Amino acid sequence: MRQYLVVFVTLLFSLQTVLAQAPKKGTSAEIYHSVQKLNFLGKALYVAAHPDDENTRLISYLSNNVKAKTAYLSLTRGDGGQNLIGPELRELLGVLRTQELLAARRVDGGQQFFSRANDFGYSKHPDETLKIWNKKEVLGDVVQIIRTFKPDVIINRFDHRSPGSTHGHHTSSAMLSFEAFDLVNDPNAYPEQLAATQIWQPKRMFFNTSWWFYGSREKFEKADKTNLLNMDVGVFYPTLGVSNNEIASWASSQHLCQGFGRITSRGSENEYIEFLKGDFPKDKSNIFDGINTTWSRVAGGEAIGTILNEVEADFDFTNPAKHLPQLLEAHKLISSLSDTHWKTIKLQEIEAIILSVSGLFLEASTDTAITNPNNSTKVKIDVLNRSDAAITLNTVGLTSVDESLSPYVSLDNNTKNSFELDLNVPEATDFTSPYWLSEKGTLGMYKVADKSLIGKPETPRAFHANFTLDFDGYEITFQKPIVYKYARNDKGELYQPFEVLPEATARFDDKVVIFADGKPKQIAVTVKAHKDNIKGDVQFCYSKGWTVEQETKPFEIEKKGDEQILEFTLTPPANEDESYISPIIKIDGKQITKELVTIAYDHVPTQSVLLPAEAKVVRLNIQRLGENIGYIMGAGDDVPTSLKQIGYNVVTVDPNSIQAGSLDKFDAVVVGIRGYNVVKELQFKQRFILDYVKDGGNLIVQYNTAGRWDKQFNNIAPYDLKLSRDRVTDENSGVKIVAKDHALVNFPNTIKEKDFEGWVQERGLYFPNEWGAEFTPILSMKDNGESAKKGSLLVAPYGKGNYIYTGLSFFRELPAGVSGAYKLFANMLSIGKENVEKKPAVKG
C-alpha cells in the first residue's frame, strides 16, 4: 500500500518532482485532481522552525482539498538534531533533513522553502535565538520568500506571544513571520530585494492552535472560539481513494531520521487556526473567503477559466487525451498573460497536465552519475507519444551548452524515438553541492553569496534538456533534468541526480585524530578519482609545532570511482595542542581542497556534498585505565571511534547476545545515546546489565528521553532516577565541580573547570532532576537566568561496580575533539580501577 501511495503522490504532484525521481505518469483521477488545482488561484504559506515541525494534515488539506498552492517555510534545515538512521550530524544532517522535507512535500503536495538560519541546537528563549541567528538577516529572508511566493494566507505553527515557553526557534519563527506580515508591503523594508521581486500584502495571518496550547482538552473546550476557524482535515478523496489524514501520515513518515514513522489515521479530525492579522473572513468555514481565487483574478483570465472550468466539469476519465485541444488553447492564453507571476506558475502546471493527458514520455539520461568540468559525456534522449494526438518533436537542446538537434520527427502513437547528444561540460561549471555549504558561515547563519538562491530548498541542477514539441502547429518547450539511470539486480531500475564533481577528492577517514602521547602516527589520506586516468600530487598541510616526514606524495589512479591511500607520518608537539590538517590535490596546475560525502538512503535522492577536506588533530596528555570497552549502540553516534582514538579496544555489543556473564570481559560498558528509547531488547537484558555492574563492572548510560520506552519497563537505573527535560544549551556556560574529591574528577586525570572550554552546541540535555540518595552529583551548571542543574553527571556504587548516568553531550564533544571531554570520559571508564589487573584484549 505504501509503495502505491509513493507512486500516486509523485504523479499527482509532479510540479514538485525531485530531480532524482523516476519519471511517472498520472492516472485519470490524478490528472483530474491536477486540473482542479489548475483552476484555483490562491496561495497559503505555513511557517515554522524545523523539518518535522510542519502540520502535514493542514498542508495536505489546503493543497488537496482547498486546492491552494501551499508551501512550508522551515527557517532551518534541522542541523542541530539527532539522527536515528545514520551517522550524519550537523551540516550533513541538514542535507538529509532537507531531502526528507522534500519527500514529505511530494506526498502532501506542498512546496518547500528555507531561510539561511542554522539550527544551532536547542534554544530556551527567542532573545538568544535571534541574537545567534542575526534577526535582521533571517527576517529579510522571510520577507523575501513572502514577496516571491506571494501567499494570500500565512499560518504560523507556533505562538509568537509565548517567548520562553517552548523552543526558542519555534517562537522566533512565529515572531519573524508576524513582523514580516507588515514589512512585505513596505518598499522601504529591504529595498534591495525589489530589484528581483515586488512588494506584496497577504490578506490574513493565523496561528495553528490546538488544545495543547491551552493546557488541556477541557480548557480548550471551554475557551472562547470567536477568533478561531475550524477545519475538518480528515476528509476523504473518492477520486484518489485515500483520505487527507492518510496522506498527512505518509508525508510525516518521510522524516525517518527523526523517528517520525507512524501509523496512518483516518476519519474526522479537526484543526483550528486563530486569526491574528489582516481581514477576518466573513465565512469562517473558508480560509480564502473574500479572496478571488478564480481565473478572473488576473487580467485576461476569464477566457482561460471558461475553457478550464469546462475541462473540469466534463472531464473524461476514460480518455483524458480528449481534452488536449482545450488545454493547448488555454496554454496559448496563459502564455499571453501580463501577470508574469501567475503566468509562470500556471504554465508549469498546465504543461505537466498536457504531458500526462497525451502520455508523453520525455527523458534525458546518462550512463554515468558523475562528470567533471571540461569533460564530455553522452546524453540519451528518449521521446514517446502514447496517444493519437498529432505531435512533432522539433528540437532538443541542452541548457548551459550549445548542444542541440532538430529531428522534426512525427511522434507516432507508442513508437519510441531515441537520439544522442554530446554534453561538453564547460570549464567554469560549478560543482554539485548544497549551495548553503559553499562558504563557511557562522554558528547561527549560513552564508549565501547569490541572494537569488535564498529560500530554495536545493541547488538548481546545472544541465537540463529542452524538448520543443509541435502540437498541430502550436509549439511548447518542456524542460527535463538530465538524470543518471541504471539498474540493480536487487532493486531494478533506479535514478540518481546527474552531478558535476572535481576530477578527484581527498578525505581523512578520522575527522579527529587524538595523540595521547608524543609518538608519531600514520595519517591516511584517501584520494578518490572521479575521472579515468588521473595523476598528481597530494600536499599535506599542517600547523606550526607539528612535523611531517614527507609533505608531498604522488598518486595515480586508472579508473573513475577507484581510490588510493597515501600515508603521511605526523608527529605532535610535546605540549597539549589543537590544530587542523588538510590535503591539497594538485592536478595539472589545479588545486582541489574538497572531500566528497555521499548521503544515500532509499527514501531520498542520493546527495553529493563537497566539504573542506580537513581533520582536527589534538595532542593530549591523557591517562586511562582499562582496555576493553563494550559499546551498546543507541540512536547512532561516533563515540566508539573516538574511544579507539585514545587507545581503547572498543567492541560493539549486540543487545540480543547479552546474557549472564557475557559482559564480564569488559572493563566498562557504555550505552549509546537514547539506547533505552530505541533498542527494545534492552528492557529484557537490563537484569544482566545490572548484574554485570553488581559483580564489579562499570556502566555508563548516556542521555535518554524520559518515558520513551516500553511502559512495562520501570527504570534504567538500579536506584530511583527520574529523567526530565532539563538541559543547558549554552556551550559556554560556567561549570562548577561540586564533588571536588570524587574519583571522577581526579583519577586518572585531574578535571578542572577549564576542561569545559571549547565545548560545542550545548553542555547537555535531558538531565535527571530527581535521584536516589545513592547517587552523587559531580557537576553543576546552568543557562543564564536559570537555577543550577546538578543532574548532568551522576554516579552511584552498585554492588562491587559503578553505575554512571550522564546527560553531557559526549556524542557531540568527542567527535569534535574537545580535550576536556576526552579526559572526563576516560575518568568515567577508569573509575574503581586503581588496583585492578589489566584484562586480556577482547576481540570484536
Side-chain angles (χ1 to χ4, degrees):
M1 179 63 179
R2 185 177 183 281
Q3 290 178 334
Y4 162 75
L5 184 76
V6 171
V7 172
F8 146 64
V9 294
T10 307
L11 299 174
L12 178 59
F13 308 119
S14 58
L15 300 181
Q16 279 298 105
T17 299
V18 169
L19 299 176
Q21 299 303 298
K24 305 290 183 181
K25 299 298 177 186
T27 66
S28 294
E30 294 155 2
I31 296 171
Y32 173 69
H33 195 78
S34 296
V35 171
Q36 290 181 306
K37 297 182 74 172
L38 180 63
N39 279 330
F40 191 93
L41 279 71
K43 292 186 179 182
L45 179 66
Y46 198 89
V47 181
H50 310 107
D52 72 40
D53 281 346
E54 81 274 25
N55 185 338
T56 54
R57 295 182 301 275
L58 195 49
I59 290 175
S60 179
Y61 177 85
L62 292 171
S63 178
N64 299 312
N65 188 68
V66 178
K67 306 299 189 298
K69 196 165 188 65
T70 308
Y72 173 43
L73 167 56
S74 175
L75 293 192
T76 77
R77 297 176 185 268
D79 319 68
Q82 284 82 53
N83 186 355
L84 296 183
I85 63 174
E88 294 85 7
L89 291 174
R90 291 302 310 152
E91 297 93 344
L92 297 177
L93 179 59
V95 174
L96 173 57
R97 295 187 75 182
T98 293
Q99 291 302 317
E100 289 187 337
L101 265 180
L102 289 171
R105 298 294 78 78
R106 292 197 299 276
V107 173
D108 60 34
Q111 284 184 258
Q112 186 61 53
F113 295 112
F114 294 94
S115 80
R116 289 172 292 172
N118 189 347
D119 178 5
F120 55 84
Y122 192 86
S123 175
K124 294 181 177 178
H125 200 281
D127 288 348
E128 176 198 37
T129 300
L130 296 175
K131 181 179 179 182
I132 294 175
W133 273 358
N134 186 327
K135 176 187 174 182
K136 181 180 178 181
E137 290 188 0
V138 181
L139 178 60
D141 291 356
V142 177
V143 168
Q144 179 174 324
I145 291 164
I146 293 174
R147 284 173 170 172
T148 302
F149 182 61
K150 302 188 185 309
D152 301 296
V153 176
I154 297 176
I155 304 173
N156 294 336
R157 183 69 177 105
F158 300 104
D159 189 355
H160 67 285
R161 299 158 296 194
S162 57
S165 63
T166 183
H167 197 322
H169 297 180
H170 292 170
T171 310
S172 294
S173 70
M175 292 170 65
L176 292 171
S177 176
F178 190 82
E179 185 174 352
F181 186 91
D182 296 321
L183 294 178
V184 292
N185 198 35
D186 182 356
N188 296 314
Y190 301 96
E192 70 281 359
Q193 297 177 2
L194 300 179
T197 187
Q198 304 84 34
I199 58 173
W200 177 251
Q201 185 55 62
K203 189 74 170 178
R204 52 187 66 114
M205 171 175 278
F206 299 91
F207 158 47
N208 185 193
T209 190
S210 71
W211 68 264
W212 188 88
F213 291 97
Y214 287 75
S216 70
R217 294 183 185 275
E218 292 74 21
K219 290 181 180 179
F220 182 65
E221 288 299 323
K222 297 176 182 178
D224 180 8
K225 298 182 177 61
T226 304
N227 225 26
L228 270 59
L229 276 66
N230 174 30
M231 290 167 281
D232 183 354
V233 298
V235 293
F236 179 68
Y237 304 125
T239 57
L240 302 178
V242 292
S243 60
N244 186 76
N245 28 20
E246 286 178 281
I247 294 174
S249 296
W250 277 310
S252 180
S253 292
Q254 301 307 306
H255 297 294
L256 296 183
C257 74
Q258 301 303 296
F260 267 60
R262 68 187 194 188
I263 295 175
T264 56
S265 63
R266 297 164 186 83
S268 180
E269 194 169 357
N270 289 318
E271 281 289 341
Y272 293 88
I273 55 175
E274 178 189 352
F275 174 76
L276 297 178
K277 276 187 179 184
D279 297 336
F280 192 89
K282 294 179 181 179
D283 180 1
K284 291 179 65 174
S285 67
N286 180 9
I287 192 174
F288 283 92
D289 180 54
I291 302 171
N292 187 356
T293 59
T294 71
W295 276 102
S296 64
R297 177 173 188 160
V298 296
E302 291 90 346
I304 301 168
T306 299
I307 296 170
L308 294 178
N309 285 322
E310 183 179 329
V311 172
E312 181 179 342
D314 300 324
F315 190 80
D316 190 335
F317 286 86
T318 61
N319 181 28
K322 181 183 89 171
H323 301 292
L324 183 58
Q326 295 165 287
L327 293 168
L328 292 172
E329 183 62 29
H331 188 281
K332 293 178 187 178
L333 295 175
I334 296 172
S335 298
S336 63
L337 288 176
S338 58
D339 187 325
T340 56
H341 178 74
W342 280 112
K343 178 171 74 172
T344 301
I345 293 168
K346 293 304 177 180
L347 280 177
Q348 193 178 31
E349 291 182 8
I350 198 170
E351 285 169 7
I353 295 171
I354 288 171
L355 288 178
S356 292
V357 300
S358 56
L360 276 164
F361 177 84
L362 309 176
E363 183 176 85
S365 64
T366 68
D367 60 1
T368 179
I370 295 169
T371 189
N372 323 107
N374 201 29
N375 198 8
S376 63
T377 190
K378 298 288 185 183
V379 178
K380 183 184 179 184
I381 305 295
D382 288 325
V383 181
L384 181 63
N385 171 26
R386 289 169 290 188
S387 73
D388 291 327
I391 305 173
T392 300
L393 174 64
N394 286 353
T395 63
V396 181
L398 302 182
T399 61
S400 305
V401 293
D402 187 20
E403 300 289 342
S404 63
L405 52 86
S406 304
Y408 289 96
V409 59
S410 177
L411 301 178
D412 297 331
N413 190 348
N414 215 29
T415 301
K416 186 171 76 169
N417 295 267
S418 297
F419 311 92
E420 200 171 72
L421 281 170
D422 290 319
L423 172 57
N424 298 300
V425 182
E427 180 71 35
T429 304
D430 291 334
F431 299 135
T432 301
S433 193
Y435 69 85
W436 62 95
L437 299 179
S438 295
E439 299 183 59
K440 187 175 179 61
T442 64
L443 173 64
M445 294 293 294
Y446 283 120
K447 186 175 181 181
V448 179
D450 184 354
K451 297 300 187 288
S452 69
L453 293 174
I454 292 174
K456 294 185 184 298
E458 54 187 350
T459 307
R461 294 290 162 178
F463 301 106
H464 294 75
N466 287 331
F467 299 79
T468 300
L469 302 181
D470 185 299
F471 295 84
D472 197 20
Y474 180 63
E475 281 192 350
I476 302 177
T477 298
F478 301 89
Q479 188 171 92
K480 294 287 183 178
I482 298 176
V483 294
Y484 167 51
K485 183 169 69 173
Y486 65 107
R488 274 178 46 179
N489 292 338
D490 59 338
K491 292 190 176 181
E493 184 179 74
L494 297 171
Y495 283 76
Q496 278 185 219
F498 176 61
E499 320 241 85
V500 180
L501 297 177
E503 296 175 11
T505 52
R507 72 175 187 273
F508 298 107
D509 287 335
D510 294 323
K511 301 309 176 188
V512 174
V513 183
I514 305 297
F515 291 77
D517 52 38
K519 296 178 181 178
K521 286 190 175 184
Q522 295 295 109
I523 307 297
V525 176
T526 302
V527 180
K528 184 168 186 175
H530 306 298
K531 182 181 180 180
D532 290 339
N533 299 314
I534 62 168
K535 61 180 179 179
D537 297 299
V538 172
Q539 179 181 341
F540 192 97
C541 302
Y542 54 97
S543 298
K544 184 178 180 181
W546 299 74
T547 59
V548 173
E549 188 174 290
Q550 181 180 342
E551 294 184 11
T552 302
K553 293 188 176 184
F555 71 91
E556 185 170 356
I557 304 175
E558 183 178 351
K559 293 294 184 181
K560 179 170 68 173
D562 200 0
E563 297 179 339
Q564 183 175 340
I565 298 176
L566 306 177
E567 290 196 338
F568 295 83
T569 304
L570 179 65
T571 302
N575 299 319
E576 290 193 343
D577 185 74
E578 294 185 5
S579 185
Y580 286 88
I581 55 176
S582 60
I584 300 177
I585 300 175
K586 298 181 178 181
I587 303 174
D588 297 330
K590 292 178 289 187
Q591 294 189 353
I592 303 169
T593 59
K594 299 290 187 181
E595 74 164 306
L596 172 66
V597 181
T598 301
I599 301 175
Y601 294 95
D602 287 343
H603 66 302
V604 296
T606 300
Q607 299 295 298
S608 294
V609 185
L610 293 172
L611 297 174
E614 63 179 15
K616 187 177 183 180
V617 287
V618 181
R619 169 68 168 96
L620 272 179
N621 288 318
I622 188 171
Q623 304 296 320
R624 61 177 182 80
L625 276 82
E627 294 291 330
N628 303 312
I629 308 300
Y631 202 95
I632 302 171
M633 294 299 296
D637 60 60
D638 207 26
V639 170
T641 300
S642 300
L643 299 180
K644 292 176 184 177
Q645 291 268 11
I646 55 174
Y648 283 107
N649 175 41
V650 183
V651 177
T652 300
V653 177
D654 179 0
N656 292 299
S657 70
I658 298 174
Q659 54 187 322
S662 66
L663 300 177
D664 292 348
K665 57 192 174 185
F666 297 116
D667 295 294
V669 172
V670 183
V671 180
I673 59 173
R674 296 177 66 180
Y676 288 96
N677 298 141
V678 300
V679 184
K680 291 185 177 181
E681 292 80 5
L682 287 182
Q683 63 179 299
F684 307 113
K685 303 297 182 176
Q686 180 75 344
R687 59 192 177 99
F688 300 127
I689 295 173
L690 292 182
D691 283 346
Y692 159 77
V693 182
K694 200 171 185 178
D695 292 339
N698 284 339
L699 177 67
I700 300 172
V701 177
Q702 298 180 84
Y703 95 90
N704 284 262
T705 54
R708 293 189 180 180
W709 46 68
D710 194 292
K711 293 180 181 179
Q712 297 178 352
F713 183 55
N714 295 320
N715 206 336
I716 63 175
Y719 309 115
D720 289 339
L721 186 71
K722 182 178 179 181
L723 305 187
S724 73
R725 298 183 66 85
D726 287 351
R727 61 204 301 161
V728 176
T729 61
D730 182 359
E731 64 270 32
N732 298 310
S733 64
V735 177
K736 293 183 179 179
I737 300 173
V738 295
K740 294 183 181 296
D741 296 329
H742 200 281
L744 279 188
V745 290
N746 289 285
F747 178 81
N749 303 286
T750 301
I751 303 298
K752 299 181 179 179
E753 292 176 3
K754 71 175 183 179
D755 287 303
F756 294 92
E757 296 175 1
W759 284 50
V760 298
Q761 187 160 327
E762 62 199 352
R763 289 295 188 197
L765 60 170
Y766 295 105
F767 297 164
N769 62 355
E770 295 179 21
W771 51 83
E774 297 86 353
F775 282 103
T776 299
I778 304 299
L779 306 172
S780 174
M781 58 189 69
K782 66 175 183 175
D783 279 323
N784 186 40
E786 294 189 353
S787 60
K789 308 291 188 293
K790 294 185 178 181
S792 64
L793 180 57
L794 303 173
V795 58
Y798 183 63
K800 299 177 183 178
N802 293 278
Y803 177 97
I804 298 173
Y805 184 90
T806 178
L808 294 171
S809 59
F810 288 108
F811 71 102
R812 298 194 193 280
E813 312 313 322
L814 298 184
V818 177
S819 301
Y822 274 92
K823 293 179 180 178
L824 182 55
F825 211 99
N827 281 13
M828 293 193 299
L829 295 171
S830 303
I831 188 171
K833 290 184 168 51
E834 295 90 334
N835 302 309
V836 176
E837 283 189 27
K838 181 177 178 181
K839 295 183 180 181
V842 175
K843 294 183 179 180

